[in-house]
Amino acid sequence: MIVPLTHVLILAAILFALGLVCVMVWRSNVIMLLIGIEIMLNAAMLAFVGGAASWGEASGQVFALMIMAMTSAEVSLALALVVYLHRRKKTVNVDEFNEMKG
């Protein structure tokens, strides 16, 4: 492996922290919340792939492919939900969706 595992893990930790900051700072906006979650999942994938490359196994790459499939399904469903909620309430602010009545 050309890049040391510690550098990969440091980059993954920085990406995860940035995603967590995005979720914590913009938690009132649904779209930014989803972007933060995607960044955190990408950081986890980077750590899996880096670890697998360091140990010479393919299990990290397989797990990363499974995470990619899961996140693509999650993004499509979340985008449909955001479009529906925006049409219903004319906003993407999470605080507006705190009640169950129509």
Side-chain angles (χ1 to χ4, degrees):
M1 188 168 156
I2 297 171
V3 179
L5 180 61
T6 55
H7 293 158
V8 173
L9 292 178
I10 289 171
L11 178 62
I14 290 170
L15 278 175
F16 192 85
L18 287 174
L20 187 62
V21 166
C22 183
V23 168
M24 298 306 279
V25 170
W26 288 292
R27 68 184 136 173
S28 63
N29 190 345
V30 175
I31 296 171
M32 292 304 290
L33 190 72
L34 293 172
I35 288 173
I37 292 170
E38 290 296 322
I39 290 172
M40 288 190 291
L41 287 171
N42 285 332
M45 280 194 302
L46 179 63
F48 285 133
V49 170
S54 175
W55 292 311
E57 295 187 7
S59 59
Q61 285 89 348
V62 172
F63 199 67
L65 286 173
M66 294 181 75
I67 291 175
M68 278 189 229
M70 184 214 38
T71 56
S72 64
E74 180 253 340
V75 164
S76 63
L77 289 174
L79 184 59
L81 181 65
V82 166
V83 168
Y84 172 75
L85 292 174
H86 184 268
R87 286 184 181 172
R88 187 169 175 103
K89 295 269 190 169
K90 303 293 184 219
T91 184
V92 291
N93 190 358
V94 176
D95 296 331
E96 298 292 325
F97 306 114
N98 61 357
E99 53 194 38
M100 293 297 287
K101 61 182 175 182

